[in-house]
Every structure is written in structure tokens, then in C-alpha cells.
Amino acid sequence: MQFDRDLDVKGLNCPLPILRTKKALAEMASGQVLRVQATDPGAQKDFPAFAKQTGNALIGQQEENSVFEFFLKRK
């Protein structure tokens, strides 16, 4: 999947991945896509909830080798 910005929050635990994601999205233009890579198992629930709460679209999600990837489209 194509993305405009990459955010690596591997090794960080809740709430840091969400806080860094929120900051990154605030610096992006509407419609741009952010890829976030996280290792916190809680991220699987946190990112869908964050997207729903903020109005940004979670357009993709996958896991590979215990790394979770989320693709968020800026509202």
C-alpha cells in the first residue's frame, strides 16, 4: 500500500504509539496516508478505536513477525 509518511513506534508501549500517531497526523494534509509500525500488542485494539474516535480512516492493517502495520488516511 502506498503511503506519504512513515512512523516507527516499535518498542514503545501505550499510550506513546497513539500520541506519536496523533502528532504525525496533525502535521499532514487531508487525504495523505500515514503508515505506522508498532510492536505493542495493545495497538491492535488501540488504532481502530483511535481512528473511529478521531474521524481518520484506518484503511489497512496487517501483522508480520510481531510487527503491526496500520495505514491511516488523514481526514
Side-chain angles (χ1 to χ4, degrees):
M1 186 175 296
Q2 294 223 325
F3 53 92
D4 300 292
R5 186 166 173 187
D6 201 15
L7 181 64
D8 182 348
V9 292
K10 297 188 290 269
L12 300 178
N13 293 321
C14 187
L16 288 176
I18 291 293
L19 293 175
R20 300 243 174 118
T21 298
K22 185 177 179 179
K23 184 176 186 284
L25 283 169
E27 298 168 355
M28 296 172 67
S30 181
Q32 287 189 310
V33 175
L34 174 68
R35 177 177 79 158
V36 183
Q37 293 181 302
T39 52
D40 181 6
Q44 289 180 296
K45 291 182 181 174
D46 293 344
F47 277 88
F50 169 78
K52 187 174 184 181
Q53 187 176 30
T54 61
N56 295 296
L58 180 62
I59 57 171
Q61 178 177 342
Q62 63 188 25
E63 178 190 355
E64 190 174 318
N65 300 326
S66 299
V67 175
F68 306 102
E69 275 190 342
F70 301 96
F71 295 88
L72 291 145
K73 189 173 194 175
R74 173 86 158 91
K75 65 177 177 180

mmCIF file of all heavy atoms in Angstrom, residues 7-10 16 20 24 26-27 35 37-38 41 45-46 49 58 60-61 63 65 68-69 72 74:
data_model
loop_
_atom_site.group_PDB
_atom_site.id
_atom_site.type_symbol
_atom_site.label_atom_id
_atom_site.label_comp_id
_atom_site.label_asym_id
_atom_site.label_seq_id
_atom_site.Cartn_x
_atom_site.Cartn_y
_atom_site.Cartn_z
ATOM 1 N N LEU A 7 5.885 6.168 10.174
ATOM 2 C CA LEU A 7 6.111 6.406 11.594
ATOM 3 C C LEU A 7 6.469 5.086 12.263
ATOM 4 O O LEU A 7 5.703 4.130 12.210
ATOM 5 C CB LEU A 7 4.848 7.002 12.240
ATOM 6 C CG LEU A 7 4.931 7.320 13.729
ATOM 7 C CD1 LEU A 7 5.979 8.410 13.999
ATOM 8 C CD2 LEU A 7 3.571 7.760 14.258
ATOM 9 N N ASP A 8 7.647 5.042 12.871
ATOM 10 C CA ASP A 8 8.129 3.838 13.546
ATOM 11 C C ASP A 8 7.991 4.035 15.054
ATOM 12 O O ASP A 8 8.701 4.844 15.646
ATOM 13 C CB ASP A 8 9.596 3.596 13.170
ATOM 14 C CG ASP A 8 10.167 2.331 13.780
ATOM 15 O OD1 ASP A 8 9.529 1.736 14.675
ATOM 16 O OD2 ASP A 8 11.261 1.929 13.357
ATOM 17 N N VAL A 9 7.061 3.300 15.650
ATOM 18 C CA VAL A 9 6.874 3.370 17.101
ATOM 19 C C VAL A 9 7.129 2.001 17.737
ATOM 20 O O VAL A 9 6.632 1.707 18.818
ATOM 21 C CB VAL A 9 5.471 3.920 17.480
ATOM 22 C CG1 VAL A 9 5.340 5.382 17.106
ATOM 23 C CG2 VAL A 9 4.364 3.110 16.831
ATOM 24 N N LYS A 10 7.932 1.195 17.056
ATOM 25 C CA LYS A 10 8.273 -0.127 17.584
ATOM 26 C C LYS A 10 9.022 0.037 18.908
ATOM 27 O O LYS A 10 9.857 0.913 19.056
ATOM 28 C CB LYS A 10 9.120 -0.923 16.590
ATOM 29 C CG LYS A 10 8.393 -1.229 15.289
ATOM 30 C CD LYS A 10 9.161 -2.184 14.394
ATOM 31 C CE LYS A 10 10.391 -1.607 13.799
ATOM 32 N NZ LYS A 10 10.254 -0.965 12.515
ATOM 33 N N LEU A 16 2.117 5.860 24.102
ATOM 34 C CA LEU A 16 3.045 6.554 23.197
ATOM 35 C C LEU A 16 2.784 6.331 21.709
ATOM 36 O O LEU A 16 2.835 7.296 20.939
ATOM 37 C CB LEU A 16 4.490 6.219 23.556
ATOM 38 C CG LEU A 16 4.998 6.856 24.858
ATOM 39 C CD1 LEU A 16 6.405 6.378 25.182
ATOM 40 C CD2 LEU A 16 4.972 8.362 24.770
ATOM 41 N N ARG A 20 2.139 9.649 19.385
ATOM 42 C CA ARG A 20 3.024 9.989 18.259
ATOM 43 C C ARG A 20 2.259 9.985 16.939
ATOM 44 O O ARG A 20 2.531 10.788 16.047
ATOM 45 C CB ARG A 20 4.201 9.018 18.210
ATOM 46 C CG ARG A 20 5.037 9.066 19.482
ATOM 47 C CD ARG A 20 6.446 9.521 19.234
ATOM 48 N NE ARG A 20 7.159 9.689 20.494
ATOM 49 C CZ ARG A 20 8.220 9.003 20.848
ATOM 50 N NH1 ARG A 20 8.718 8.086 20.039
ATOM 51 N NH2 ARG A 20 8.812 9.235 21.998
ATOM 52 N N ALA A 24 1.832 13.100 14.328
ATOM 53 C CA ALA A 24 2.204 12.953 12.916
ATOM 54 C C ALA A 24 1.038 13.308 12.001
ATOM 55 O O ALA A 24 1.213 14.016 10.995
ATOM 56 C CB ALA A 24 2.690 11.536 12.639
ATOM 57 N N ALA A 26 -1.414 15.303 12.604
ATOM 58 C CA ALA A 26 -1.678 16.738 12.682
ATOM 59 C C ALA A 26 -0.780 17.529 11.742
ATOM 60 O O ALA A 26 -1.142 18.621 11.305
ATOM 61 C CB ALA A 26 -1.493 17.217 14.120
ATOM 62 N N GLU A 27 0.379 16.962 11.412
ATOM 63 C CA GLU A 27 1.334 17.637 10.525
ATOM 64 C C GLU A 27 1.109 17.301 9.052
ATOM 65 O O GLU A 27 1.824 17.801 8.187
ATOM 66 C CB GLU A 27 2.766 17.245 10.925
ATOM 67 C CG GLU A 27 3.139 17.673 12.338
ATOM 68 C CD GLU A 27 4.424 17.037 12.832
ATOM 69 O OE1 GLU A 27 4.990 16.178 12.122
ATOM 70 O OE2 GLU A 27 4.846 17.392 13.939
ATOM 71 N N ARG A 35 1.752 5.483 7.447
ATOM 72 C CA ARG A 35 1.985 4.085 7.830
ATOM 73 C C ARG A 35 2.626 4.106 9.217
ATOM 74 O O ARG A 35 3.608 4.800 9.439
ATOM 75 C CB ARG A 35 2.925 3.373 6.857
ATOM 76 C CG ARG A 35 3.206 1.928 7.325
ATOM 77 C CD ARG A 35 4.060 1.174 6.369
ATOM 78 N NE ARG A 35 5.473 1.543 6.535
ATOM 79 C CZ ARG A 35 6.479 0.774 6.152
ATOM 80 N NH1 ARG A 35 6.254 -0.381 5.560
ATOM 81 N NH2 ARG A 35 7.719 1.175 6.323
ATOM 82 N N GLN A 37 4.228 1.603 12.228
ATOM 83 C CA GLN A 37 4.723 0.273 12.588
ATOM 84 C C GLN A 37 4.876 0.232 14.099
ATOM 85 O O GLN A 37 5.582 1.064 14.683
ATOM 86 C CB GLN A 37 6.056 -0.009 11.920
ATOM 87 C CG GLN A 37 5.942 -0.116 10.413
ATOM 88 C CD GLN A 37 7.280 -0.416 9.780
ATOM 89 O OE1 GLN A 37 8.224 0.333 9.942
ATOM 90 N NE2 GLN A 37 7.347 -1.529 9.075
ATOM 91 N N ALA A 38 4.201 -0.727 14.747
ATOM 92 C CA ALA A 38 4.196 -0.831 16.197
ATOM 93 C C ALA A 38 4.398 -2.277 16.629
ATOM 94 O O ALA A 38 4.102 -3.208 15.874
ATOM 95 C CB ALA A 38 2.876 -0.305 16.748
ATOM 96 N N PRO A 41 1.263 -5.094 21.607
ATOM 97 C CA PRO A 41 0.088 -5.912 21.263
ATOM 98 C C PRO A 41 -1.231 -5.158 21.416
ATOM 99 O O PRO A 41 -2.193 -5.427 20.706
ATOM 100 C CB PRO A 41 0.155 -7.081 22.245
ATOM 101 C CG PRO A 41 1.567 -7.135 22.703
ATOM 102 C CD PRO A 41 2.084 -5.723 22.635
ATOM 103 N N LYS A 45 -6.037 -3.103 19.157
ATOM 104 C CA LYS A 45 -7.320 -2.538 19.573
ATOM 105 C C LYS A 45 -7.269 -1.009 19.581
ATOM 106 O O LYS A 45 -8.253 -0.350 19.294
ATOM 107 C CB LYS A 45 -7.695 -3.039 20.975
ATOM 108 C CG LYS A 45 -8.029 -4.505 21.022
ATOM 109 C CD LYS A 45 -8.424 -4.926 22.415
ATOM 110 C CE LYS A 45 -8.724 -6.421 22.443
ATOM 111 N NZ LYS A 45 -8.986 -6.899 23.797
ATOM 112 N N ASP A 46 -6.103 -0.471 19.929
ATOM 113 C CA ASP A 46 -5.965 0.981 20.078
ATOM 114 C C ASP A 46 -6.148 1.740 18.768
ATOM 115 O O ASP A 46 -6.816 2.775 18.740
ATOM 116 C CB ASP A 46 -4.599 1.343 20.668
ATOM 117 C CG ASP A 46 -4.437 0.877 22.106
ATOM 118 O OD1 ASP A 46 -5.456 0.558 22.755
ATOM 119 O OD2 ASP A 46 -3.287 0.822 22.572
ATOM 120 N N ALA A 49 -9.779 1.972 17.410
ATOM 121 C CA ALA A 49 -10.540 2.871 18.287
ATOM 122 C C ALA A 49 -10.119 4.326 18.067
ATOM 123 O O ALA A 49 -10.966 5.229 18.012
ATOM 124 C CB ALA A 49 -10.324 2.472 19.746
ATOM 125 N N LEU A 58 -8.944 4.204 9.031
ATOM 126 C CA LEU A 58 -7.989 3.105 9.090
ATOM 127 C C LEU A 58 -8.220 2.297 7.816
ATOM 128 O O LEU A 58 -9.204 1.569 7.697
ATOM 129 C CB LEU A 58 -8.218 2.248 10.339
ATOM 130 C CG LEU A 58 -7.280 1.066 10.530
ATOM 131 C CD1 LEU A 58 -5.832 1.526 10.679
ATOM 132 C CD2 LEU A 58 -7.687 0.245 11.740
ATOM 133 N N GLY A 60 -5.992 0.184 6.286
ATOM 134 C CA GLY A 60 -5.278 -1.077 6.174
ATOM 135 C C GLY A 60 -4.616 -1.443 7.484
ATOM 136 O O GLY A 60 -4.274 -0.579 8.287
ATOM 137 N N GLN A 61 -4.477 -2.753 7.693
ATOM 138 C CA GLN A 61 -3.883 -3.248 8.930
ATOM 139 C C GLN A 61 -3.347 -4.647 8.655
ATOM 140 O O GLN A 61 -4.013 -5.449 8.010
ATOM 141 C CB GLN A 61 -4.979 -3.282 9.987
ATOM 142 C CG GLN A 61 -4.587 -3.808 11.321
ATOM 143 C CD GLN A 61 -5.757 -3.715 12.322
ATOM 144 O OE1 GLN A 61 -6.708 -2.987 12.125
ATOM 145 N NE2 GLN A 61 -5.664 -4.482 13.382
ATOM 146 N N GLU A 63 -0.153 -7.756 10.200
ATOM 147 C CA GLU A 63 0.882 -8.136 11.158
ATOM 148 C C GLU A 63 1.882 -9.049 10.463
ATOM 149 O O GLU A 63 1.499 -9.946 9.718
ATOM 150 C CB GLU A 63 0.276 -8.876 12.350
ATOM 151 C CG GLU A 63 1.326 -9.342 13.343
ATOM 152 C CD GLU A 63 0.782 -10.274 14.415
ATOM 153 O OE1 GLU A 63 -0.438 -10.501 14.452
ATOM 154 O OE2 GLU A 63 1.588 -10.796 15.188
ATOM 155 N N ASN A 65 5.774 -10.839 11.572
ATOM 156 C CA ASN A 65 6.882 -11.006 12.523
ATOM 157 C C ASN A 65 6.712 -10.158 13.780
ATOM 158 O O ASN A 65 7.632 -9.474 14.223
ATOM 159 C CB ASN A 65 8.228 -10.679 11.849
ATOM 160 C CG ASN A 65 8.511 -11.582 10.669
ATOM 161 O OD1 ASN A 65 8.148 -12.759 10.676
ATOM 162 N ND2 ASN A 65 9.129 -11.043 9.643
ATOM 163 N N PHE A 68 3.103 -4.812 13.920
ATOM 164 C CA PHE A 68 1.786 -4.439 13.422
ATOM 165 C C PHE A 68 1.924 -3.200 12.554
ATOM 166 O O PHE A 68 2.587 -2.243 12.933
ATOM 167 C CB PHE A 68 0.837 -4.137 14.602
ATOM 168 C CG PHE A 68 0.763 -5.261 15.586
ATOM 169 C CD1 PHE A 68 1.452 -5.190 16.790
ATOM 170 C CD2 PHE A 68 0.035 -6.408 15.307
ATOM 171 C CE1 PHE A 68 1.388 -6.226 17.714
ATOM 172 C CE2 PHE A 68 -0.025 -7.455 16.216
ATOM 173 C CZ PHE A 68 0.658 -7.358 17.424
ATOM 174 N N GLU A 69 1.303 -3.248 11.382
ATOM 175 C CA GLU A 69 1.320 -2.106 10.464
ATOM 176 C C GLU A 69 -0.111 -1.582 10.332
ATOM 177 O O GLU A 69 -1.042 -2.352 10.140
ATOM 178 C CB GLU A 69 1.806 -2.514 9.077
ATOM 179 C CG GLU A 69 3.277 -2.523 8.933
ATOM 180 C CD GLU A 69 3.699 -2.705 7.479
ATOM 181 O OE1 GLU A 69 2.873 -3.156 6.647
ATOM 182 O OE2 GLU A 69 4.840 -2.386 7.184
ATOM 183 N N LEU A 72 -3.297 4.804 8.063
ATOM 184 C CA LEU A 72 -4.337 5.763 8.430
ATOM 185 C C LEU A 72 -4.381 6.883 7.407
ATOM 186 O O LEU A 72 -3.347 7.457 7.057
ATOM 187 C CB LEU A 72 -4.034 6.359 9.807
ATOM 188 C CG LEU A 72 -4.166 5.375 10.961
ATOM 189 C CD1 LEU A 72 -3.142 5.666 12.027
ATOM 190 C CD2 LEU A 72 -5.556 5.446 11.539
ATOM 191 N N ARG A 74 -5.568 10.594 6.607
ATOM 192 C CA ARG A 74 -5.896 11.841 7.327
ATOM 193 C C ARG A 74 -7.232 12.371 6.854
ATOM 194 O O ARG A 74 -7.487 12.440 5.648
ATOM 195 C CB ARG A 74 -4.781 12.863 7.059
ATOM 196 C CG ARG A 74 -5.050 14.251 7.592
ATOM 197 C CD ARG A 74 -4.622 14.355 9.046
ATOM 198 N NE ARG A 74 -4.375 15.728 9.433
ATOM 199 C CZ ARG A 74 -5.305 16.537 9.952
ATOM 200 N NH1 ARG A 74 -6.535 16.112 10.109
ATOM 201 N NH2 ARG A 74 -4.989 17.755 10.283
#
